Amino acid sequence: QVQLVESGGGLVQAGDSLRLSCVGPGRTFLSYAGAWFRQAPGKEREFLAAISWNGQTYYAGSVEGSVTISRDNTKTTMYLEMNNLKPEDTAVYLCAAGVVAGSEKAEEYELWGQGTQVTVSS
């Protein structure tokens, strides 16, 4: 059951920027920590960034500096801004929410979206 809804993916060129959005299920989302993962074909799901309910952020070392996670609790929405995209960033990007802030483990998140495709052309 899809409980989060992502948007903002698409086809972009190398070097472009993109902002993904993730809308949560109402007021329940306000007490959850959030995170973004991505999954490329044939690869495991990869943690990118997480944010606590009050805005503390956590980043994977591989993407720190090139992505920014944020949230707007008035809109129950979480964002992932990505800069200087490369072809290797092509993947399905998924948002997740759970009670554990900052976890890099997908199994610790209870709510998931169905993902949004990001394709970066060279």
Side-chain angles (χ1 to χ4, degrees):
Q1 182 179 0
V2 174
Q3 295 165 302
L4 305 176
V5 180
E6 302 99 335
S7 63
L11 174 63
V12 297
Q13 293 186 332
D16 284 351
S17 298
L18 204 59
R19 188 176 81 159
L20 308 180
S21 299
C22 170
V23 179
R27 291 183 59 83
T28 303
F29 187 68
L30 302 182
S31 61
Y32 277 85
W36 285 95
F37 290 76
R38 69 183 177 190
Q39 189 161 19
K43 295 188 177 181
E44 292 190 355
R45 193 162 293 187
E46 177 188 12
F47 168 80
L48 299 175
I51 187 167
S52 69
W53 69 272
N54 62 350
Q56 185 173 358
T57 57
Y58 311 81
Y59 293 97
S62 60
V63 298
E64 190 163 12
S66 61
V67 304
T68 302
I69 190 171
S70 61
R71 66 189 296 165
D72 182 345
N73 286 339
T74 65
K75 300 179 181 178
T76 65
T77 301
M78 181 171 61
Y79 304 97
L80 183 72
E81 186 157 355
M82 303 183 289
N83 299 310
N84 192 27
L85 286 162
K86 301 176 176 63
E88 52 263 41
D89 294 317
T90 295
V92 174
Y93 284 70
L94 304 106
C95 63
V99 297
V100 180
S103 175
E104 299 186 8
K105 300 179 180 179
E107 61 268 26
E108 293 193 350
Y109 291 91
E110 302 162 32
L111 308 180
W112 286 88
Q114 61 184 2
T116 185
Q117 176 71 44
V118 173
T119 303
V120 185
S121 64
S122 57

